Amino acid sequence: MRYSQMLLPTTRETPSEAEVVSHQLLLRGGFIRKLSAGVYTYLPLGLAVVQKVAQIVREEMNRAGAQELLMPMVQPADLWQESGRWQKYGAELLRFTDRHGRGFCLGPTHEEVITDLARRELRSYRQLPKNLYQIQTKFRDEIRPRFGLMRGREFVMKDAYSFDVSDQAAGLSYRKMFDAYHRIFRRCGLEFRAVEADTGTIGGSFSHEFMVLARTGEDTLVVCERCSYAANVEKAAIAPPENGAAPPAPVREMARVETPGVKKVEMVAKFLGVRPADIIKTMIYLVDGEPVAALVRGDREVQAVKLKNLLGATEVELADDKTVYQKTKLPVGYLGPVNLPLKVVADQEVMAMVNCVAGANEKQYHLTGVQPGRDFEPFVAGDLRQVTAGDPCPSCGGPVKLIEGIEVGHIFKLGTAYSEAMSATFQDSDGSEKPFVMGCYGIGVSRIAAAAIEQNHDRHGIIFPLSVAPFQVILLNLGLKNEATTRAADQLYHDLQGLGVEVLYDDRDERPGSKFQDADLIGIPYRLTLGKTYEKEGLVEVRRRLDGHVETIEYDQAAATVAGMINRELAAMAG
Ligand code: ATP
Ligand code: MG
């Protein structure tokens, strides 16, 4: 492609609406443009990256025995009613009606559609296993679309669905995807980790997320420093506290103390001369719209997904002070579990506390000597708190650490949840009708483009891994006024293309400085320059974006040498 003809609007200024570096560079480099919140146009360069990622995904899915198909983006409501998710999915599902008043939604995921297809087309065990996938635009009405391609409302996903005769066979299908995902993310040149994950709205019994390690990640990973345990913090379990380690303190009576203007845990601790660990922190969450009090030790945080799972709820959200007051008319800042007219859910650790401090549910007052079990009984107690660094690993007991990641893939063992709800059965070898045992496997194709940039950039711009770069080579002609140089550059452009190299040919009449800047900004892995060195010595300069390494090559050898370098590097990435 000739740069002079390409729609490639780069800018020098950092756009103010972009908080993270991938969003900034995707805008500055002319990869994407925003149409509406979380909805983007992919300009030619952006589309090239998305297509590169999609092609790697496609090749590895095919290699693993999956077959590509394409399902509609518009889905009828009755399928979602059958699966039960029309009620459950919440506001992320964009619903609408057609001219006949029939309900529809834009597909955020395709379990319903594929299960409907399977129950029609897969009738016998002889047709199994099957793994069907598509690469398609999804729509989710995200509450907070942000960070550009990282969390859009419209985005490109690869979703695959497996159908098996038994749980054991489904385990094998899952394993194949687990391995294929490792190959995919390795080929994309990403530093990643597979972690145990929560199963979320999709439902199911078992799942892993694939996380690209990056500071801007919205997910937190719990990683053991001693063994191979790794899990999403939403999922990472905490063992119940051991009883009887320390001799129980003498249990005191409850007392009401005045604590004027003292609300936050740290302030209460200071004011009463106790440790934060002696205080019961009472947090109000809206659980499917209803206020619920979640209790953790004062030095801990509630993990909302654990709360959601403990209550079997669909939506859980921390309530702000205004909402708490509106919904409960209780004195915010002085809440506690004793005589609280709300559903109370306690972390297991709270139940082991002795002589605690808690809000008195009365302005300016706290209670001391509170005894869980004696002074209040929770609706349910369990693992509710967020893991913190140094907590014992649930697998080996060693200390864990927390790191940030971007979720780029998610695989689930679904079991028979959908096939049973939608009566999707096949005839087994003994003649009996059985529900399919299913799995589903997602990859955020457009999110990978952003994740790759979060992980690979410097202050000059993007440093694309070769496998996902929109072009492999950018060829700069700095001798536009010189006919011989221009002829040589044109020829090199054609020779490289002839060898299958993807070249962006910068034939613009621009200053060298601005050509170099653009080349660095858009992150093309190899920069070839024809300028003074060519005019004087017949040499082409080859510069690697990754480390700035420069070498010069005889013009006649340039095309073949560069093509060879590229092929070797791609082969190494493919493993
Ligand atoms: P998240 O927790 O980030 O919302 P999810 O659990 O809802 O993700 P899945 O339903 O498992 O995501 O979707 C499969 C993959 O699609 C994810 O692993 C992620 O890479 C990608 N994805 C999900 N939501 C978005 C989004 N809003 N924008 C871009 N990619 C997304
Ligand atoms: Mg989501």
Side-chain angles (χ1 to χ4, degrees):
M1 188 75 206
R2 282 176 181 267
Y3 201 138
S4 59
Q5 284 157 30
M6 192 160 174
L7 177 63
L8 209 175
T10 60
T11 56
R12 295 279 167 260
E13 312 74 45
T14 300
S16 58
E17 81 258 34
E19 293 168 64
V20 297
V21 73
S22 62
H23 191 191
Q24 292 166 358
L25 292 173
L26 283 167
L27 289 170
R28 283 190 50 208
F31 292 81
I32 58 169
R33 287 295 179 262
K34 178 168 136 180
L35 178 64
S36 152
V39 180
Y40 290 88
T41 295
Y42 300 94
L43 300 184
L45 213 55
L47 182 62
V49 178
V50 169
Q51 285 175 339
K52 279 290 188 72
V53 174
Q55 188 54 25
I56 291 173
V57 170
R58 182 175 285 123
E59 284 170 16
E60 295 303 331
M61 291 302 290
N62 292 349
R63 185 204 296 269
Q67 294 171 53
E68 187 168 2
L69 47 57
L70 185 58
M71 291 179 269
M73 188 187 181
V74 171
Q75 306 184 9
D78 31 3
L79 281 184
W80 285 71
Q81 265 140 9
E82 251 190 273
S83 73
R85 284 207 294 185
W86 190 253
Q87 284 77 29
K88 268 208 221 158
Y89 208 91
E92 266 187 32
L93 190 64
L94 186 65
R95 304 155 207 247
F96 56 98
T97 45
D98 70 2
R99 64 169 78 199
H100 307 293
R102 283 189 285 254
F104 286 89
C105 62
L106 286 186
T109 173
H110 279 66
E111 283 77 11
E112 283 77 1
V113 178
I114 198 86
T115 307
D116 179 58
L117 184 79
R119 69 182 168 188
R120 294 167 195 274
E121 307 303 333
L122 302 176
R123 301 295 315 132
S124 156
Y125 73 99
R126 290 177 210 278
Q127 295 170 282
L128 302 177
K130 281 273 177 302
N131 185 328
L132 303 165
Y133 77 96
Q134 61 177 348
I135 298 173
Q136 188 208 35
T137 299
K138 296 281 186 274
F139 193 92
R140 295 182 182 181
D141 201 355
E142 296 275 354
I143 184 165
R144 269 175 231 100
R146 57 181 185 163
F147 303 159
L149 296 189
M150 207 107 96
R151 182 167 300 281
R153 292 198 296 167
E154 198 179 284
F155 58 97
V156 181
M157 200 207 278
K158 184 283 297 178
D159 45 328
Y161 306 88
S162 63
F163 297 87
D164 276 286
V165 292
S166 67
D167 206 49
Q168 200 194 0
L172 214 65
S173 295
Y174 186 89
R175 183 74 218 183
K176 276 191 186 156
M177 286 296 105
F178 187 81
D179 293 342
Y181 273 43
H182 276 85
R183 287 189 55 86
I184 288 169
F185 299 122
R186 207 176 310 129
R187 272 187 71 184
C188 288
L190 299 167
E191 196 193 335
F192 69 97
R193 251 193 110 142
V195 304
E196 290 177 22
D198 181 64
T199 46
T201 335
I202 303 253
S205 47
F206 192 69
S207 99
H208 283 92
E209 282 165 349
F210 289 77
M211 299 285 192
V212 165
L213 309 183
R215 257 179 304 123
T216 43
E218 291 182 282
D219 281 279
T220 304
L221 287 55
V222 177
V223 176
C224 181
E225 306 219 41
R226 207 184 285 160
C227 74
S228 62
Y229 178 83
N232 192 311
V233 76
E234 296 174 344
K235 160 93 181 176
I238 294 169
E242 284 174 32
N243 280 327
V251 175
R252 282 193 259 118
E253 284 309 300
M254 206 161 59
R256 180 169 159 271
V257 292
E258 199 174 354
T259 50
V262 180
K263 292 183 182 178
K264 295 245 175 294
V265 166
E266 298 72 39
M267 289 170 73
V268 176
K270 222 175 186 177
F271 187 83
L272 295 177
V274 298
R275 300 170 309 162
D278 297 320
I279 297 171
I280 297 177
K281 184 151 80 177
T282 305
M283 306 292 291
I284 308 297
Y285 281 80
L286 291 182
V287 177
D288 295 333
E290 284 306 306
V292 166
L295 312 181
V296 286
R297 228 170 68 176
D299 56 340
R300 309 295 199 193
E301 300 299 332
V302 176
Q303 170 43 248
V305 174
K306 288 185 177 178
L307 175 64
K308 185 173 104 178
N309 292 340
L310 205 58
L311 292 174
T314 304
E315 265 178 322
V316 165
E317 205 188 340
L318 184 63
D320 57 34
D321 289 358
K322 211 174 116 207
T323 313
V324 174
Y325 187 74
Q326 275 172 356
K327 291 250 177 193
T328 66
K329 298 286 178 283
L330 290 164
V332 181
Y334 299 93
L335 300 187
V338 182
N339 298 325
L340 183 67
L342 293 178
K343 185 182 270 186
V344 172
V345 183
D347 182 56
Q348 53 195 5
E349 206 175 32
V350 167
M351 300 313 289
M353 289 166 74
V354 183
N355 296 327
C356 339
V357 171
N361 299 319
E362 188 183 345
K363 263 209 169 99
Q364 323 286 20
Y365 283 93
H366 276 79
L367 300 173
T368 59
V370 173
Q371 197 47 51
R374 180 192 70 185
D375 301 324
F376 70 91
E377 198 57 65
F379 170 74
V380 55
D383 179 7
L384 203 64
R385 79 163 167 96
Q386 173 117 343
V387 168
T388 51
D391 272 334
C393 163
S395 173
C396 78
V400 298
K401 62 177 178 185
L402 303 185
I403 52 178
E404 264 69 56
I406 302 167
E407 180 196 324
V408 287
H410 200 169
I411 59 178
F412 298 83
K413 231 172 122 178
L414 286 174
T416 53
Y418 289 88
S419 47
E420 275 179 39
M422 295 179 65
S423 314
T425 60
F426 65 98
Q427 195 172 52
D428 206 352
S429 51
D430 61 5
S432 64
E433 283 291 315
K434 285 186 182 155
F436 297 107
V437 185
M438 293 172 57
C440 76
Y441 317 93
I443 287 186
V445 173
S446 47
R447 183 181 281 183
I448 287 178
I453 296 171
E454 290 295 331
Q455 219 172 50
N456 303 283
H457 65 269
D458 61 16
R459 66 197 170 84
H460 304 293
I462 302 169
I463 309 173
F464 273 117
L466 183 61
S467 56
V468 299
F471 290 96
Q472 296 161 334
V473 165
I474 183 163
L475 170 62
L476 309 189
N477 177 7
L478 302 185
L480 272 172
K481 306 264 162 15
N482 183 322
E483 217 176 287
T485 308
T486 298
R487 219 179 309 118
D490 286 355
Q491 186 60 45
L492 184 53
Y493 172 52
H494 287 112
D495 291 349
L496 284 165
Q497 284 186 315
L499 293 170
V501 177
E502 297 156 0
V503 194
L504 177 60
Y505 179 22
D506 193 347
D507 58 343
R508 295 174 303 164
D509 187 11
E510 291 278 346
R511 287 180 303 107
S514 96
K515 289 192 176 195
F516 291 141
Q517 275 183 14
D518 280 332
D520 277 355
L521 175 62
I522 63 178
I524 309 300
Y526 289 98
R527 190 184 79 194
L528 270 53
T529 307
L530 268 76
K532 291 256 155 20
T533 340
Y534 175 74
E535 282 161 28
K536 285 197 203 121
E537 303 168 63
L539 296 176
V540 179
E541 185 193 278
V542 180
R543 180 177 178 273
R544 206 157 51 196
R545 176 71 180 90
L546 178 65
D547 52 9
H549 176 82
V550 176
E551 57 187 298
T552 47
I553 307 177
E554 291 287 340
Y555 175 81
D556 289 343
Q557 325 275 286
T561 307
V562 169
M565 275 160 42
I566 285 171
N567 289 335
R568 275 195 302 280
E569 192 175 328
L570 285 177
M573 291 179 91

